[in-house]
Amino acid sequence: MLPRFAVRHPITVTMIMLGIVILGAISVDRLGTDLFPSMYNPQLVVELQSGERSPQEMETRFARQLEGDVRSVSHVVDIHTLCRLGIVQVTVTFAWGTDMDFALLDVQKKIARYETRSDVDRVTLSQYDPQASPVLIYTMSGASRRDLDEIRRLAENVVKLNLERLDGVARVQVYGGVRREVLVKLDAYRLAAYQISQQNVADAIRQSNADASGGTLDYNNKAYTIKGIGRFGNIDNVGATVVGYKSSGADEDSLNTGNRQSGRVFEPEKIPIYLTDVATVTYTPADRTELVRLGGRDCLALYIYKEAEDNTIRVAKQAEEALDRMALELPILSFQRIYSQADFISNAIGEVESSA
């Protein structure tokens, strides 16, 4: 039957075969290449960061509220929460067949209010498996005598953001480096002379390092939002914090300057006492919890994760090209590839082709 039809209609058969060849060529170009078969994973991961609070405090302050908020989203079947030092990670599992795009929007609406809280450093929502392996691992180091804190800030504020903008990149994790913090070393003798307690100093620093909302101002048919910017921009701002007041009639040759004035209303006879009057303010490296070295030299590590259903080879290629461009634009940085999942896949495909 088929041979007879092919003999009687050669043009039709030729057009059908040509269509199959064209569809095959288009499909080959769009065919995904990955280490493992693509699997539908109806999970979302919410990660909340808040300073260095203990796991117990993270549970009572954030975890229970987060669980209650995301539990109200439709088609949620399971919630798993992990509390660590300063981090709450909530994994939300949905029913099979759930449209994850809509689920992502619903969960994003539920957690939006946490982003505006003053006690929350960062909230992220990801559609990836946190246990998945990275497709690329790079080390990042700077020129000689470069501060590791400066390199870390470049990695988090420049390199990481540029990589996460790439199509197919789900997340970039930065490890290592040094985080610089401000050390305030109080002078007990001066505190006693000014009659200021350590708690007074801590409260003054906390209150000064904050932004304040001033409402809105209606003028000329326009509404202007008023906001006071008060967060510290550098170490000089910290040292200029007013921790109290002294009487203007005090003896300037003595540290015992009289009773500290109270109240928030400005009075001419009040002379401010700055933090630098009772303490030494300096930069100091924070305690390191991660250490990354290559060839005995301190550096940073970049772990690059891809989206669940994207092409590993394509994502790895464009990430490598982006890092090469950044190495040219930022000559103070150098990148070295440590691991690439795309190399393993390419080698496996090459072995199959050579054996065929």
Side-chain angles (χ1 to χ4, degrees):
M1 184 66 180
L2 288 178
R4 184 181 303 172
F5 177 81
V7 172
R8 291 182 178 181
H9 305 87
I11 298 178
T12 303
V13 173
T14 302
M15 295 300 295
I16 293 174
M17 295 301 297
L18 184 61
I20 293 174
V21 171
I22 293 174
L23 291 175
I26 296 174
S27 300
V28 167
D29 184 61
R30 298 182 178 181
L31 187 64
T33 307
D34 209 340
L35 184 62
F36 299 106
S38 177
M39 296 182 63
Y40 175 73
N41 184 23
Q43 287 186 334
L44 295 176
V45 179
V46 181
E47 187 174 285
L48 183 147
Q49 300 178 11
S50 177
E52 297 184 355
R53 304 180 190 275
S54 66
Q56 293 81 4
E57 185 178 358
M58 295 298 293
E59 179 185 8
T60 56
R61 185 183 288 262
F62 302 110
R64 295 175 182 175
Q65 297 180 24
L66 273 173
E67 289 178 353
D69 290 336
V70 299
R71 196 181 300 276
S72 60
V73 177
S74 301
H75 309 300
V76 173
V77 296
D78 184 58
I79 297 176
H80 174 74
T81 303
L82 175 64
C83 295
R84 293 181 291 174
L85 183 65
I87 296 176
V88 173
Q89 190 177 77
V90 180
T91 303
V92 187
T93 304
F94 293 83
W96 287 96
T98 302
D99 190 330
M100 295 307 296
D101 292 333
F102 285 104
L104 185 70
L105 292 175
D106 291 339
V107 175
Q108 194 170 20
K109 293 177 183 177
K110 295 294 183 181
I111 67 174
R113 66 187 183 92
Y114 292 92
E115 298 177 355
T116 59
R117 291 179 54 167
S118 59
D119 54 351
V120 175
D121 296 333
R122 186 180 181 187
V123 181
T124 57
L125 175 61
S126 307
Q127 189 176 356
Y128 77 102
D129 183 3
Q131 305 300 328
S133 300
V135 296
L136 282 172
I137 298 178
Y138 267 79
T139 60
M140 173 179 165
S141 57
S144 58
R145 298 182 181 179
R146 283 285 175 179
D147 186 8
L148 279 178
D149 177 69
E150 178 186 359
I151 303 301
R152 178 193 58 80
R153 285 186 277 113
L154 283 173
E156 294 180 348
N157 300 326
V158 179
V159 178
K160 178 180 179 180
L161 295 181
N162 288 338
L163 290 175
E164 289 181 342
R165 292 192 186 104
L166 299 176
D167 182 32
V169 176
R171 185 191 187 195
V172 178
Q173 188 69 39
V174 180
Y175 294 99
V178 174
R179 189 176 297 273
R180 190 170 58 173
E181 62 184 13
V182 177
L183 174 65
V184 178
K185 190 174 182 179
L186 299 175
D187 187 322
Y189 177 68
R190 289 179 175 269
L191 287 177
Y194 285 120
Q195 300 181 16
I196 300 175
S197 67
Q198 295 184 10
Q199 187 61 45
N200 293 142
V201 176
D203 293 340
I205 295 175
R206 187 181 302 108
Q207 294 170 7
S208 299
N209 187 30
D211 297 334
S213 176
T216 58
L217 174 64
D218 296 328
Y219 177 73
N220 198 17
N221 296 326
K222 293 182 180 180
Y224 297 90
T225 301
I226 301 175
K227 185 176 182 180
I229 307 300
R231 289 191 176 274
F232 298 140
N234 51 54
I235 195 171
D236 293 332
N237 298 150
V238 180
T241 301
V242 177
V243 297
Y245 296 91
K246 64 181 180 179
S247 173
S248 60
D251 184 2
E252 294 181 357
D253 296 331
S254 174
L255 288 177
N256 188 5
T257 55
N259 294 330
R260 183 171 57 90
Q261 303 299 306
S262 61
R264 295 179 178 271
V265 180
F266 174 76
E267 298 179 10
E269 65 272 12
K270 288 183 178 180
I271 298 178
I273 302 172
Y274 298 103
L275 181 60
T276 52
D277 294 332
V278 297
T280 303
V281 183
T282 57
Y283 281 122
T284 184
D287 294 336
R288 301 181 67 174
T289 58
E290 302 166 346
L291 182 62
V292 179
R293 284 180 177 171
L294 180 64
R297 182 183 177 187
D298 287 340
C299 59
L300 282 80
L302 302 174
Y303 281 53
I304 304 173
Y305 298 84
K306 76 175 186 67
E307 294 180 353
E309 298 181 359
D310 221 303
N311 190 315
T312 300
I313 295 180
R314 184 187 68 82
V315 173
K317 181 179 179 181
Q318 66 176 358
E320 291 173 356
E321 292 174 351
L323 288 170
D324 291 339
R325 289 195 301 269
M326 283 186 279
L328 294 176
E329 296 171 356
L330 300 171
I332 64 172
L333 300 179
S334 61
F335 302 94
Q336 182 173 343
R337 189 177 66 176
I338 303 300
Y339 166 79
S340 175
Q341 197 176 94
D343 291 343
F344 180 83
I345 296 173
S346 299
N347 294 335
I349 294 175
E351 292 180 0
V352 173
E353 291 177 348
S354 60
S355 301

